[in-house]
Amino acid sequence: MRDTRDLRRHERGFALMVTLGFALVLGLSAAAISASARFNAALTRNSAALLAGRELLRSAEAVIAIDLRRSAGMQAIPRNGAPVAIDLPGGRVIARIIDERAKFDANQREPRALHTFLAQEGARLGVTTLPSLNLIERERLRQPFVSLPDLALRLGLPPELHTAVARTLTVYNPDKAVNLAHADEAVLALIPGMTPGLLAEIRRARRLGSPMPAASAIADYTTNEEGPFFTLELEAHPERGATARLSTVVTAAGEEMRIVEAVR
């Protein structure tokens, strides 16, 4: 009789354990489903946020493509890197257009000029590990630099120097002539024939918005033309969504703007 009662107690205990086990499994499943639903909802929100920023960037590129075809005096966005806000449906984009003719070209005919440029920027930053003139000459003889990452890799530029020269060094200045209206003073100072007096005249012309000085001493190395290559730096701020950034080199030589290099 006792054995029968013990058996029944064991059976009830086993049934309780099974019931508790099912309850635990159901509880864990419900928690997993809830967590999965929350994760999917967050993923959807993040995807929508990223999509909103990217759509703004695409819209801004279309606006810029039109502006790049406008003649001087009709442009809404300056070519000197000054930021301009573009208000669009769904948000705002801060746009910068940087004329590649305003930069020092790494493929100048005389490699010594690039050596001087890098030495000048290195001294400003306190960087002492610089490529030698022999290395620059050897690499230039092998083939032209096709991008700044290509130059940095082949010349072994320290990362801080590579970052610093990105705004003043280019491989997209077709005739190597510098646009006086847009160039940084570090670039202007490297133009053969440049003098402190001419620099002062350029500063004054920029301040007043008047024509650049026409000096014969620098005429072969300077230009009033811009493009056809430009760096675009865009930062999208959607009304609902995450900030999105884009930096590219484009050409506007034809009817359509074309991307030639994604900077980042």
Side-chain angles (χ1 to χ4, degrees):
M1 191 71 173
R2 183 180 301 172
D3 292 341
T4 303
R5 287 197 299 270
D6 290 342
L7 180 60
R8 288 175 179 170
R9 280 199 299 270
H10 284 306
E11 288 174 348
R12 287 196 297 271
F14 178 75
L16 179 61
M17 289 177 63
V18 170
T19 301
L20 290 174
F22 276 122
L24 178 61
V25 169
L26 289 173
L28 291 173
S29 297
I33 291 170
S34 176
S36 177
R38 288 196 301 271
F39 174 79
N40 289 333
L43 187 62
T44 300
R45 286 194 300 272
N46 288 341
S47 298
L50 290 172
L51 183 61
R54 288 170 183 166
E55 286 298 324
L56 275 180
L57 291 175
R58 277 195 284 268
S59 297
E61 284 182 322
V63 172
I64 290 169
I66 294 171
D67 198 64
L68 286 177
R69 292 197 292 272
R70 289 177 176 149
S71 58
M74 301 295 292
Q75 300 161 347
I77 307 172
R79 309 308 195 234
N80 60 1
V84 170
I86 303 174
D87 290 313
L88 297 162
R92 166 178 287 189
V93 174
I94 306 301
R96 292 175 172 83
I97 301 179
I98 305 165
D99 181 11
E100 292 298 291
R101 282 189 191 263
K103 301 178 181 180
F104 179 85
D105 196 281
N107 293 311
Q108 289 281 349
R109 289 184 295 273
E110 175 50 61
R112 189 176 296 275
L114 177 58
H115 182 261
T116 302
F117 175 84
L118 294 175
Q120 172 184 286
E121 291 301 290
R124 185 175 63 82
L125 294 169
V127 175
T128 56
T129 305
L130 298 169
S132 67
L133 177 58
N134 286 339
L135 175 61
I136 294 173
E137 289 176 333
R138 187 167 66 248
E139 288 300 319
R140 279 285 307 281
L141 185 63
R142 188 160 67 92
Q143 67 178 44
F145 300 112
V146 297
S147 68
L148 293 190
D150 173 53
L151 178 145
L153 179 65
R154 287 164 57 188
L155 298 185
L157 291 191
E160 61 271 32
L161 182 57
H162 179 204
T163 300
V165 302
R167 297 191 72 83
T168 51
L169 190 65
T170 185
V171 296
Y172 297 109
N173 189 339
D175 57 12
K176 316 298 186 286
V178 174
N179 185 309
L180 293 177
H182 300 158
D184 186 275
E185 290 206 10
V187 177
L188 294 176
L190 287 171
I191 296 173
M194 184 61 68
T195 64
L198 277 175
L199 274 175
E201 287 185 46
I202 293 168
R203 291 191 200 102
R204 183 173 182 277
R206 286 179 172 181
R207 187 171 65 252
L208 299 176
S210 55
M212 291 294 111
S216 59
I218 60 173
D220 291 341
Y221 305 96
T222 60
T223 182
N224 292 321
E225 296 181 13
E226 62 181 34
F229 295 94
F230 303 89
T231 292
L232 307 186
E233 294 181 352
L234 308 179
E235 184 174 279
H237 298 274
E239 292 171 356
R240 294 182 180 179
T243 298
R245 295 177 179 84
L246 179 69
S247 183
T248 56
V249 179
V250 303
T251 180
E255 286 298 314
E256 295 184 359
M257 184 178 78
R258 179 172 59 86
I259 295 175
V260 295
E261 183 186 344
V263 180
R264 65 172 183 270

